[in-house]
Amino acid sequence: MAKMGSRKHLKRYKAPKNWPIHPKENKWTVKPAAGPHAIEESLSLLIVVRDILGLADNSREAKRIINTGKVLVDGRARKDYKYPVGFMDVVQIPKTEETYRILPDTKGRLTLHPIPKGNDGFKLCKITDKTTIKENKTQLNLHDGRNMIVDESYSVGDVVSLNVPNQEITDNFKFEEGAMVLITGGKHTGEIGKINEVIINKSSNPNTVIVENDKKNEFLTLKDYAFVIGKDEPIISLPGGN
C-alpha cells in the first residue's frame, strides 16, 4: 500500500514551489499524472478543485466532482483526478459558469485567473519545436504537449491561438520586437511587457530579450521565458486588469 500511494501522492513539503498550497496543512498532496505538462510545471486536477477553488472539502468530494465530468480543461471533461493542469490551460466549471486561465503570479506560483465570457473560448500555445513530415507538411510541437500538423509557415517561439475544444488555429502571434509578452521564469516571472530587442548570442549562451514594462522600465530576460500574448496589447485577460 505504501508503494502504491507514493506513486500517486507527494509529501507537501516536497511539492514544487510553484504549487499554491500550504506545506503544513496536510502531510500529503496529489501528484499530477504524466501528461501534457511536466509534473513540476503543473497541478493535479484534484488540487485545483479542492485546494484552490474550494469546490470540495476533502479528496473524496473532489474526486466525485471530477469523475462526474463537472470540470472541463480546454473545453473537455477530464475525469482523472491526477490530470495535470498547467500554464495557459482553460479550466471551466459549467455549473457555476466560472472560467479560469492558469497563469503564473509574480512569485512564480501557478494561479487560476478568472476570465470573462468572450475570453474563454481559446488558449495560447507556444511553438517549442517543429519538424517537416510527409508531403512537405509541418508538425508543430506546442508547450502543452500538443502536436499539430499545418500547411502554413510558423516559427519556433511564435504563439498560436487555439479554439477550445476544437483545437483549430485561429491566429499566430510572432515572437518579434514590439510583441507583448508574459514572463514565465526568472526574477521577472509574472510581469508583462513589450519586446524592445531580441539578442541572438553566437556563443553557447542562451538568447535573451530586452523587455519594457508599462512603467517604461527595461529588463533583460531569457528568450525562452518570454511568452507572446499579443501584437500590440494582450489578447487575454490578466490579473490586475491588464
Side-chain angles (χ1 to χ4, degrees):
M1 292 294 291
K3 290 183 178 179
M4 182 179 294
S6 65
R7 290 197 297 268
K8 296 180 180 179
H9 298 85
L10 181 71
K11 288 187 176 181
R12 283 196 172 223
Y13 74 88
K14 290 185 177 181
K17 293 182 179 180
N18 61 351
W19 290 13
I21 59 175
H22 197 287
K24 296 183 179 180
E25 286 182 353
N26 292 291
K27 183 176 181 180
W28 298 96
T29 188
V30 177
K31 185 178 180 181
H37 297 280
I39 290 176
E40 65 273 11
E41 297 174 355
S42 60
L43 304 166
S44 69
L45 198 53
L46 187 141
I47 288 178
V48 170
V49 170
R50 184 191 63 188
D51 298 277
I52 302 178
L53 296 181
L55 299 177
D57 293 328
N58 52 54
S59 295
R60 180 178 295 180
E61 289 181 8
K63 289 177 182 178
R64 184 169 61 248
I65 291 171
I66 294 167
N67 192 50
T68 52
K70 295 180 179 178
V71 183
L72 310 183
V73 180
D74 294 341
R76 296 181 177 177
R78 298 295 181 182
K79 298 183 179 182
D80 180 1
Y81 70 92
K82 301 184 300 295
Y83 184 81
V85 181
F87 177 61
M88 282 294 172
D89 283 354
V90 176
V91 177
Q92 296 170 293
I93 316 296
K95 185 176 181 179
T96 61
E97 298 185 347
E98 294 174 312
T99 307
Y100 304 86
R101 197 182 306 278
I102 306 292
L103 297 173
D105 64 14
T106 54
K107 294 183 179 180
R109 298 171 299 190
L110 294 175
T111 61
L112 272 73
H113 170 62
I115 53 179
K117 289 184 178 180
N119 202 246
D120 56 357
F122 69 95
K123 72 174 297 187
L124 299 181
C125 291
K126 186 175 186 177
I127 301 172
T128 58
D129 198 5
K130 67 176 185 176
T131 53
T132 302
I133 58 176
K134 295 179 180 179
E135 300 179 1
N136 205 35
K137 291 188 176 182
T138 301
Q139 176 176 288
L140 303 180
N141 305 124
L142 306 181
H143 86 274
D144 65 350
R146 299 172 198 258
N147 297 321
M148 302 193 69
I149 297 175
V150 296
D151 295 316
E152 297 85 357
S153 176
Y154 295 89
S155 300
V156 172
D158 289 355
V159 168
V160 294
S161 177
L162 302 181
N163 273 339
V164 292
N166 299 328
Q167 301 187 47
E168 297 175 349
I169 295 178
T170 59
D171 209 342
N172 178 36
F173 301 94
K174 292 189 173 296
F175 187 94
E176 60 187 6
E177 293 180 6
M180 294 296 299
V181 292
L182 169 63
I183 307 304
T184 61
K187 66 179 182 179
H188 294 284
T189 298
E191 291 191 37
I192 310 297
K194 178 182 68 174
I195 296 177
N196 274 355
E197 184 180 355
V198 180
I199 303 172
I200 305 298
N201 291 309
K202 295 182 179 180
S203 65
S204 59
N205 293 325
N207 297 327
T208 56
V209 292
I210 296 176
V211 177
E212 179 185 294
N213 62 23
D214 58 357
K215 296 179 180 179
K216 303 301 180 181
N217 295 322
E218 289 188 337
F219 60 85
L220 184 71
T221 189
L222 295 180
K223 179 177 181 289
D224 288 346
Y225 289 163
F227 189 105
V228 180
I229 55 173
K231 296 176 182 177
D232 300 313
E233 58 184 26
I235 68 162
I236 60 173
S237 170
L238 295 165
N242 291 317

